[in-house]
PDB file of all heavy atoms in Angstrom:
ATOM      1  N   GLN A 417      53.840 173.221  51.721  1.00  0.00           N
ATOM      2  CA  GLN A 417      55.190 173.099  52.292  1.00  0.00           C
ATOM      3  C   GLN A 417      55.203 173.604  53.734  1.00  0.00           C
ATOM      4  O   GLN A 417      55.866 173.023  54.606  1.00  0.00           O
ATOM      5  CB  GLN A 417      56.188 173.899  51.444  1.00  0.00           C
ATOM      6  CG  GLN A 417      57.643 173.744  51.888  1.00  0.00           C
ATOM      7  CD  GLN A 417      58.144 172.329  51.728  1.00  0.00           C
ATOM      8  OE1 GLN A 417      57.761 171.616  50.799  1.00  0.00           O
ATOM      9  NE2 GLN A 417      59.001 171.900  52.669  1.00  0.00           N
ATOM     10  N   ALA A 421      56.071 171.470  56.982  1.00  0.00           N
ATOM     11  CA  ALA A 421      57.101 171.879  57.967  1.00  0.00           C
ATOM     12  C   ALA A 421      56.571 171.807  59.390  1.00  0.00           C
ATOM     13  O   ALA A 421      57.271 171.385  60.315  1.00  0.00           O
ATOM     14  CB  ALA A 421      57.575 173.303  57.640  1.00  0.00           C
ATOM     15  N   GLU A 449      75.656 170.882  62.671  1.00  0.00           N
ATOM     16  CA  GLU A 449      75.672 171.130  61.235  1.00  0.00           C
ATOM     17  C   GLU A 449      75.754 172.626  61.035  1.00  0.00           C
ATOM     18  O   GLU A 449      75.583 173.430  61.976  1.00  0.00           O
ATOM     19  CB  GLU A 449      74.416 170.565  60.574  1.00  0.00           C
ATOM     20  CG  GLU A 449      73.123 171.134  61.148  1.00  0.00           C
ATOM     21  CD  GLU A 449      71.881 170.562  60.467  1.00  0.00           C
ATOM     22  OE1 GLU A 449      71.818 170.665  59.239  1.00  0.00           O
ATOM     23  OE2 GLU A 449      71.020 170.029  61.179  1.00  0.00           O
ATOM     24  N   ASP A 450      76.025 173.066  59.799  1.00  0.00           N
ATOM     25  CA  ASP A 450      76.067 174.480  59.508  1.00  0.00           C
ATOM     26  C   ASP A 450      74.638 175.026  59.411  1.00  0.00           C
ATOM     27  O   ASP A 450      73.795 174.455  58.714  1.00  0.00           O
ATOM     28  CB  ASP A 450      76.807 174.742  58.197  1.00  0.00           C
ATOM     29  CG  ASP A 450      78.306 174.461  58.329  1.00  0.00           C
ATOM     30  OD1 ASP A 450      78.795 174.498  59.477  1.00  0.00           O
ATOM     31  OD2 ASP A 450      78.939 174.166  57.302  1.00  0.00           O
ATOM     32  N   VAL A 451      74.386 176.137  60.064  1.00  0.00           N
ATOM     33  CA  VAL A 451      73.033 176.708  60.133  1.00  0.00           C
ATOM     34  C   VAL A 451      73.110 178.160  59.682  1.00  0.00           C
ATOM     35  O   VAL A 451      73.781 178.986  60.332  1.00  0.00           O
ATOM     36  CB  VAL A 451      72.460 176.623  61.554  1.00  0.00           C
ATOM     37  CG1 VAL A 451      71.064 177.220  61.592  1.00  0.00           C
ATOM     38  CG2 VAL A 451      72.480 175.200  62.061  1.00  0.00           C
ATOM     39  N   PRO A 452      72.442 178.537  58.574  1.00  0.00           N
ATOM     40  CA  PRO A 452      72.359 179.952  58.182  1.00  0.00           C
ATOM     41  C   PRO A 452      71.477 180.704  59.193  1.00  0.00           C
ATOM     42  O   PRO A 452      70.322 180.338  59.400  1.00  0.00           O
ATOM     43  CB  PRO A 452      71.734 179.909  56.799  1.00  0.00           C
ATOM     44  CG  PRO A 452      71.919 178.500  56.337  1.00  0.00           C
ATOM     45  CD  PRO A 452      71.880 177.653  57.545  1.00  0.00           C
ATOM     46  N   VAL A 453      72.011 181.724  59.787  1.00  0.00           N
ATOM     47  CA  VAL A 453      71.266 182.432  60.830  1.00  0.00           C
ATOM     48  C   VAL A 453      70.070 183.160  60.239  1.00  0.00           C
ATOM     49  O   VAL A 453      68.979 183.172  60.838  1.00  0.00           O
ATOM     50  CB  VAL A 453      72.198 183.387  61.581  1.00  0.00           C
ATOM     51  CG1 VAL A 453      71.425 184.222  62.592  1.00  0.00           C
ATOM     52  CG2 VAL A 453      73.314 182.614  62.260  1.00  0.00           C
ATOM     53  N   ALA A 454      70.228 183.795  59.076  1.00  0.00           N
ATOM     54  CA  ALA A 454      69.110 184.542  58.478  1.00  0.00           C
ATOM     55  C   ALA A 454      67.952 183.600  58.182  1.00  0.00           C
ATOM     56  O   ALA A 454      66.775 183.944  58.421  1.00  0.00           O
ATOM     57  CB  ALA A 454      69.564 185.248  57.205  1.00  0.00           C
ATOM     58  N   GLU A 455      68.242 182.414  57.685  1.00  0.00           N
ATOM     59  CA  GLU A 455      67.174 181.440  57.403  1.00  0.00           C
ATOM     60  C   GLU A 455      66.531 180.971  58.705  1.00  0.00           C
ATOM     61  O   GLU A 455      65.307 180.804  58.783  1.00  0.00           O
ATOM     62  CB  GLU A 455      67.759 180.266  56.632  1.00  0.00           C
ATOM     63  CG  GLU A 455      66.751 179.220  56.256  1.00  0.00           C
ATOM     64  CD  GLU A 455      67.381 178.054  55.503  1.00  0.00           C
ATOM     65  OE1 GLU A 455      68.465 178.254  54.922  1.00  0.00           O
ATOM     66  OE2 GLU A 455      66.789 176.958  55.511  1.00  0.00           O
ATOM     67  N   LEU A 456      67.373 180.787  59.719  1.00  0.00           N
ATOM     68  CA  LEU A 456      66.845 180.339  61.021  1.00  0.00           C
ATOM     69  C   LEU A 456      65.871 181.354  61.593  1.00  0.00           C
ATOM     70  O   LEU A 456      64.766 181.017  62.042  1.00  0.00           O
ATOM     71  CB  LEU A 456      68.026 180.113  61.986  1.00  0.00           C
ATOM     72  CG  LEU A 456      67.682 179.618  63.381  1.00  0.00           C
ATOM     73  CD1 LEU A 456      67.241 178.169  63.346  1.00  0.00           C
ATOM     74  CD2 LEU A 456      68.891 179.768  64.308  1.00  0.00           C
ATOM     75  N   LEU A 457      66.257 182.649  61.526  1.00  0.00           N
ATOM     76  CA  LEU A 457      65.381 183.685  62.071  1.00  0.00           C
ATOM     77  C   LEU A 457      64.142 183.855  61.192  1.00  0.00           C
ATOM     78  O   LEU A 457      63.053 184.147  61.701  1.00  0.00           O
ATOM     79  CB  LEU A 457      66.150 185.001  62.181  1.00  0.00           C
ATOM     80  CG  LEU A 457      67.359 184.986  63.149  1.00  0.00           C
ATOM     81  CD1 LEU A 457      68.000 186.368  63.202  1.00  0.00           C
ATOM     82  CD2 LEU A 457      66.932 184.546  64.536  1.00  0.00           C
ATOM     83  N   GLY A 458      64.296 183.703  59.869  1.00  0.00           N
ATOM     84  CA  GLY A 458      63.142 183.838  58.984  1.00  0.00           C
ATOM     85  C   GLY A 458      62.069 182.804  59.296  1.00  0.00           C
ATOM     86  O   GLY A 458      60.868 183.123  59.325  1.00  0.00           O
ATOM     87  N   ASP A 459      62.495 181.556  59.527  1.00  0.00           N
ATOM     88  CA  ASP A 459      61.521 180.513  59.884  1.00  0.00           C
ATOM     89  C   ASP A 459      60.812 180.852  61.202  1.00  0.00           C
ATOM     90  O   ASP A 459      59.601 180.636  61.349  1.00  0.00           O
ATOM     91  CB  ASP A 459      62.232 179.164  60.001  1.00  0.00           C
ATOM     92  CG  ASP A 459      62.745 178.662  58.654  1.00  0.00           C
ATOM     93  OD1 ASP A 459      62.255 179.170  57.625  1.00  0.00           O
ATOM     94  OD2 ASP A 459      63.611 177.782  58.655  1.00  0.00           O
ATOM     95  N   ALA A 460      61.580 181.389  62.169  1.00  0.00           N
ATOM     96  CA  ALA A 460      60.976 181.738  63.455  1.00  0.00           C
ATOM     97  C   ALA A 460      59.969 182.852  63.312  1.00  0.00           C
ATOM     98  O   ALA A 460      58.880 182.825  63.918  1.00  0.00           O
ATOM     99  CB  ALA A 460      62.062 182.138  64.462  1.00  0.00           C
ATOM    100  N   VAL A 461      60.316 183.864  62.446  1.00  0.00           N
ATOM    101  CA  VAL A 461      59.380 184.980  62.233  1.00  0.00           C
ATOM    102  C   VAL A 461      58.136 184.503  61.514  1.00  0.00           C
ATOM    103  O   VAL A 461      57.000 184.874  61.852  1.00  0.00           O
ATOM    104  CB  VAL A 461      60.069 186.105  61.453  1.00  0.00           C
ATOM    105  CG1 VAL A 461      59.066 187.178  61.047  1.00  0.00           C
ATOM    106  CG2 VAL A 461      61.204 186.707  62.279  1.00  0.00           C
ATOM    107  N   GLN A 462      58.317 183.628  60.517  1.00  0.00           N
ATOM    108  CA  GLN A 462      57.153 183.110  59.787  1.00  0.00           C
ATOM    109  C   GLN A 462      56.248 182.296  60.688  1.00  0.00           C
ATOM    110  O   GLN A 462      55.034 182.388  60.613  1.00  0.00           O
ATOM    111  CB  GLN A 462      57.650 182.252  58.607  1.00  0.00           C
ATOM    112  CG  GLN A 462      56.537 181.743  57.702  1.00  0.00           C
ATOM    113  CD  GLN A 462      57.053 180.945  56.529  1.00  0.00           C
ATOM    114  OE1 GLN A 462      58.246 180.675  56.432  1.00  0.00           O
ATOM    115  NE2 GLN A 462      56.157 180.547  55.643  1.00  0.00           N
ATOM    116  N   GLU A 463      56.818 181.523  61.607  1.00  0.00           N
ATOM    117  CA  GLU A 463      56.028 180.721  62.516  1.00  0.00           C
ATOM    118  C   GLU A 463      55.271 181.618  63.504  1.00  0.00           C
ATOM    119  O   GLU A 463      54.105 181.362  63.816  1.00  0.00           O
ATOM    120  CB  GLU A 463      56.930 179.745  63.272  1.00  0.00           C
ATOM    121  CG  GLU A 463      56.191 178.784  64.183  1.00  0.00           C
ATOM    122  CD  GLU A 463      57.124 177.766  64.800  1.00  0.00           C
ATOM    123  OE1 GLU A 463      58.027 177.273  64.096  1.00  0.00           O
ATOM    124  OE2 GLU A 463      56.956 177.459  65.984  1.00  0.00           O
ATOM    125  N   THR A 475      64.123 191.888  61.517  1.00  0.00           N
ATOM    126  CA  THR A 475      65.324 191.089  61.759  1.00  0.00           C
ATOM    127  C   THR A 475      66.527 191.797  61.166  1.00  0.00           C
ATOM    128  O   THR A 475      66.441 192.472  60.138  1.00  0.00           O
ATOM    129  CB  THR A 475      65.173 189.686  61.145  1.00  0.00           C
ATOM    130  OG1 THR A 475      65.014 189.819  59.724  1.00  0.00           O
ATOM    131  CG2 THR A 475      63.981 188.947  61.755  1.00  0.00           C
ATOM    132  N   HIS A 476      67.661 191.646  61.830  1.00  0.00           N
ATOM    133  CA  HIS A 476      68.915 192.236  61.345  1.00  0.00           C
ATOM    134  C   HIS A 476      70.025 191.254  61.656  1.00  0.00           C
ATOM    135  O   HIS A 476      70.272 190.926  62.835  1.00  0.00           O
ATOM    136  CB  HIS A 476      69.173 193.584  62.030  1.00  0.00           C
ATOM    137  CG  HIS A 476      70.490 194.176  61.682  1.00  0.00           C
ATOM    138  ND1 HIS A 476      70.756 194.694  60.424  1.00  0.00           N
ATOM    139  CD2 HIS A 476      71.624 194.335  62.403  1.00  0.00           C
ATOM    140  CE1 HIS A 476      71.992 195.162  60.395  1.00  0.00           C
ATOM    141  NE2 HIS A 476      72.555 194.942  61.588  1.00  0.00           N
ATOM    142  N   VAL A 477      70.716 190.767  60.611  1.00  0.00           N
ATOM    143  CA  VAL A 477      71.795 189.808  60.762  1.00  0.00           C
ATOM    144  C   VAL A 477      73.065 190.453  60.204  1.00  0.00           C
ATOM    145  O   VAL A 477      73.068 190.981  59.078  1.00  0.00           O
ATOM    146  CB  VAL A 477      71.500 188.493  60.017  1.00  0.00           C
ATOM    147  CG1 VAL A 477      72.663 187.505  60.191  1.00  0.00           C
ATOM    148  CG2 VAL A 477      70.195 187.885  60.483  1.00  0.00           C
ATOM    149  N   PRO A 479      77.204 189.610  59.844  1.00  0.00           N
ATOM    150  CA  PRO A 479      76.955 189.849  58.404  1.00  0.00           C
ATOM    151  C   PRO A 479      75.710 189.114  57.947  1.00  0.00           C
ATOM    152  O   PRO A 479      75.266 188.194  58.629  1.00  0.00           O
ATOM    153  CB  PRO A 479      78.215 189.289  57.755  1.00  0.00           C
ATOM    154  CG  PRO A 479      78.706 188.257  58.709  1.00  0.00           C
ATOM    155  CD  PRO A 479      78.369 188.767  60.078  1.00  0.00           C
ATOM    156  N   ALA A 480      75.185 189.527  56.806  1.00  0.00           N
ATOM    157  CA  ALA A 480      73.913 188.991  56.332  1.00  0.00           C
ATOM    158  C   ALA A 480      73.989 187.518  56.024  1.00  0.00           C
ATOM    159  O   ALA A 480      72.991 186.806  56.132  1.00  0.00           O
ATOM    160  CB  ALA A 480      73.445 189.774  55.072  1.00  0.00           C
ATOM    161  N   ASP A 481      75.170 187.033  55.643  1.00  0.00           N
ATOM    162  CA  ASP A 481      75.307 185.613  55.326  1.00  0.00           C
ATOM    163  C   ASP A 481      75.918 184.817  56.474  1.00  0.00           C
ATOM    164  O   ASP A 481      76.602 183.812  56.254  1.00  0.00           O
ATOM    165  CB  ASP A 481      76.171 185.446  54.066  1.00  0.00           C
ATOM    166  CG  ASP A 481      77.564 186.075  54.225  1.00  0.00           C
ATOM    167  OD1 ASP A 481      77.742 186.819  55.245  1.00  0.00           O
ATOM    168  OD2 ASP A 481      78.437 185.831  53.408  1.00  0.00           O
ATOM    169  N   LEU A 482      75.659 185.254  57.668  1.00  0.00           N
ATOM    170  CA  LEU A 482      76.241 184.613  58.837  1.00  0.00           C
ATOM    171  C   LEU A 482      75.785 183.155  58.921  1.00  0.00           C
ATOM    172  O   LEU A 482      74.587 182.860  58.870  1.00  0.00           O
ATOM    173  CB  LEU A 482      75.827 185.362  60.109  1.00  0.00           C
ATOM    174  CG  LEU A 482      76.290 184.741  61.433  1.00  0.00           C
ATOM    175  CD1 LEU A 482      77.823 184.712  61.524  1.00  0.00           C
ATOM    176  CD2 LEU A 482      75.693 185.532  62.616  1.00  0.00           C
ATOM    177  N   VAL A 483      76.772 182.261  59.013  1.00  0.00           N
ATOM    178  CA  VAL A 483      76.517 180.846  59.175  1.00  0.00           C
ATOM    179  C   VAL A 483      77.251 180.385  60.421  1.00  0.00           C
ATOM    180  O   VAL A 483      78.455 180.655  60.577  1.00  0.00           O
ATOM    181  CB  VAL A 483      76.974 180.034  57.950  1.00  0.00           C
ATOM    182  CG1 VAL A 483      76.759 178.547  58.192  1.00  0.00           C
ATOM    183  CG2 VAL A 483      76.209 180.494  56.708  1.00  0.00           C
ATOM    184  N   VAL A 484      76.542 179.697  61.299  1.00  0.00           N
ATOM    185  CA  VAL A 484      77.139 179.196  62.529  1.00  0.00           C
ATOM    186  C   VAL A 484      76.963 177.693  62.539  1.00  0.00           C
ATOM    187  O   VAL A 484      76.179 177.110  61.779  1.00  0.00           O
ATOM    188  CB  VAL A 484      76.466 179.809  63.783  1.00  0.00           C
ATOM    189  CG1 VAL A 484      76.684 181.314  63.796  1.00  0.00           C
ATOM    190  CG2 VAL A 484      75.000 179.468  63.848  1.00  0.00           C
ATOM    191  N   ARG A 488      70.574 172.360  64.458  1.00  0.00           N
ATOM    192  CA  ARG A 488      69.570 173.210  63.825  1.00  0.00           C
ATOM    193  C   ARG A 488      68.217 173.144  64.537  1.00  0.00           C
ATOM    194  O   ARG A 488      67.571 174.171  64.781  1.00  0.00           O
ATOM    195  CB  ARG A 488      69.425 172.807  62.344  1.00  0.00           C
ATOM    196  CG  ARG A 488      68.491 173.707  61.565  1.00  0.00           C
ATOM    197  CD  ARG A 488      68.299 173.225  60.134  1.00  0.00           C
ATOM    198  NE  ARG A 488      67.500 174.154  59.373  1.00  0.00           N
ATOM    199  CZ  ARG A 488      67.981 175.146  58.641  1.00  0.00           C
ATOM    200  NH1 ARG A 488      69.300 175.314  58.536  1.00  0.00           N
ATOM    201  NH2 ARG A 488      67.183 175.974  57.982  1.00  0.00           N
ATOM    202  N   LEU A 491      68.458 174.968  67.924  1.00  0.00           N
ATOM    203  CA  LEU A 491      68.541 176.415  67.746  1.00  0.00           C
ATOM    204  C   LEU A 491      67.215 176.990  67.257  1.00  0.00           C
ATOM    205  O   LEU A 491      66.846 178.113  67.596  1.00  0.00           O
ATOM    206  CB  LEU A 491      69.665 176.768  66.780  1.00  0.00           C
ATOM    207  CG  LEU A 491      71.091 176.526  67.289  1.00  0.00           C
ATOM    208  CD1 LEU A 491      72.113 176.883  66.207  1.00  0.00           C
ATOM    209  CD2 LEU A 491      71.353 177.340  68.563  1.00  0.00           C
ATOM    210  N   ALA A 492      66.488 176.193  66.433  1.00  0.00           N
ATOM    211  CA  ALA A 492      65.171 176.627  65.985  1.00  0.00           C
ATOM    212  C   ALA A 492      64.211 176.750  67.186  1.00  0.00           C
ATOM    213  O   ALA A 492      63.357 177.633  67.233  1.00  0.00           O
ATOM    214  CB  ALA A 492      64.613 175.660  64.949  1.00  0.00           C
ATOM    215  N   ALA A 495      65.144 180.116  68.882  1.00  0.00           N
ATOM    216  CA  ALA A 495      64.674 181.280  68.120  1.00  0.00           C
ATOM    217  C   ALA A 495      63.147 181.366  68.114  1.00  0.00           C
ATOM    218  O   ALA A 495      62.568 182.442  68.289  1.00  0.00           O
ATOM    219  CB  ALA A 495      65.213 181.206  66.696  1.00  0.00           C
ATOM    220  N   ALA A 496      62.491 180.228  67.897  1.00  0.00           N
ATOM    221  CA  ALA A 496      61.030 180.243  67.855  1.00  0.00           C
ATOM    222  C   ALA A 496      60.444 180.643  69.210  1.00  0.00           C
ATOM    223  O   ALA A 496      59.482 181.427  69.286  1.00  0.00           O
ATOM    224  CB  ALA A 496      60.501 178.863  67.444  1.00  0.00           C
ATOM    225  N   VAL A 499      61.154 184.559  69.788  1.00  0.00           N
ATOM    226  CA  VAL A 499      60.346 185.431  68.925  1.00  0.00           C
ATOM    227  C   VAL A 499      58.861 185.294  69.286  1.00  0.00           C
ATOM    228  O   VAL A 499      58.138 186.294  69.346  1.00  0.00           O
ATOM    229  CB  VAL A 499      60.603 185.089  67.445  1.00  0.00           C
ATOM    230  CG1 VAL A 499      59.664 185.886  66.544  1.00  0.00           C
ATOM    231  CG2 VAL A 499      62.054 185.373  67.082  1.00  0.00           C
ATOM    232  N   VAL A 514      64.852 191.711  66.167  1.00  0.00           N
ATOM    233  CA  VAL A 514      65.703 190.545  66.345  1.00  0.00           C
ATOM    234  C   VAL A 514      67.045 190.854  65.700  1.00  0.00           C
ATOM    235  O   VAL A 514      67.116 191.159  64.505  1.00  0.00           O
ATOM    236  CB  VAL A 514      65.072 189.291  65.697  1.00  0.00           C
ATOM    237  CG1 VAL A 514      65.951 188.082  65.935  1.00  0.00           C
ATOM    238  CG2 VAL A 514      63.662 189.054  66.231  1.00  0.00           C
ATOM    239  N   ALA A 516      71.087 189.580  65.148  1.00  0.00           N
ATOM    240  CA  ALA A 516      72.116 188.546  65.234  1.00  0.00           C
ATOM    241  C   ALA A 516      73.426 189.162  64.788  1.00  0.00           C
ATOM    242  O   ALA A 516      73.505 189.800  63.728  1.00  0.00           O
ATOM    243  CB  ALA A 516      71.763 187.345  64.358  1.00  0.00           C
ATOM    244  N   TRP A 523      78.867 184.396  68.589  1.00  0.00           N
ATOM    245  CA  TRP A 523      77.844 185.198  67.963  1.00  0.00           C
ATOM    246  C   TRP A 523      76.710 185.399  68.957  1.00  0.00           C
ATOM    247  O   TRP A 523      76.492 184.585  69.865  1.00  0.00           O
ATOM    248  CB  TRP A 523      77.345 184.576  66.673  1.00  0.00           C
ATOM    249  CG  TRP A 523      76.556 183.283  66.858  1.00  0.00           C
ATOM    250  CD1 TRP A 523      77.057 182.066  67.136  1.00  0.00           C
ATOM    251  CD2 TRP A 523      75.145 183.158  66.746  1.00  0.00           C
ATOM    252  NE1 TRP A 523      76.055 181.134  67.223  1.00  0.00           N
ATOM    253  CE2 TRP A 523      74.859 181.790  66.982  1.00  0.00           C
ATOM    254  CE3 TRP A 523      74.103 184.038  66.453  1.00  0.00           C
ATOM    255  CZ2 TRP A 523      73.565 181.287  66.955  1.00  0.00           C
ATOM    256  CZ3 TRP A 523      72.805 183.538  66.414  1.00  0.00           C
ATOM    257  CH2 TRP A 523      72.536 182.179  66.660  1.00  0.00           C
TER     258      TRP A 523
END
Side-chain angles (χ1 to χ4, degrees):
Q417 185 64 35
E449 58 179 305
D450 291 337
V451 181
V453 175
E455 181 181 338
L456 181 73
L457 297 182
D459 292 342
V461 172
Q462 184 178 5
E463 184 175 320
T475 61
H476 175 70
V477 180
D481 57 349
L482 176 62
V483 177
V484 297
R488 185 184 185 93
L491 290 179
V499 174
V514 182
W523 68 284

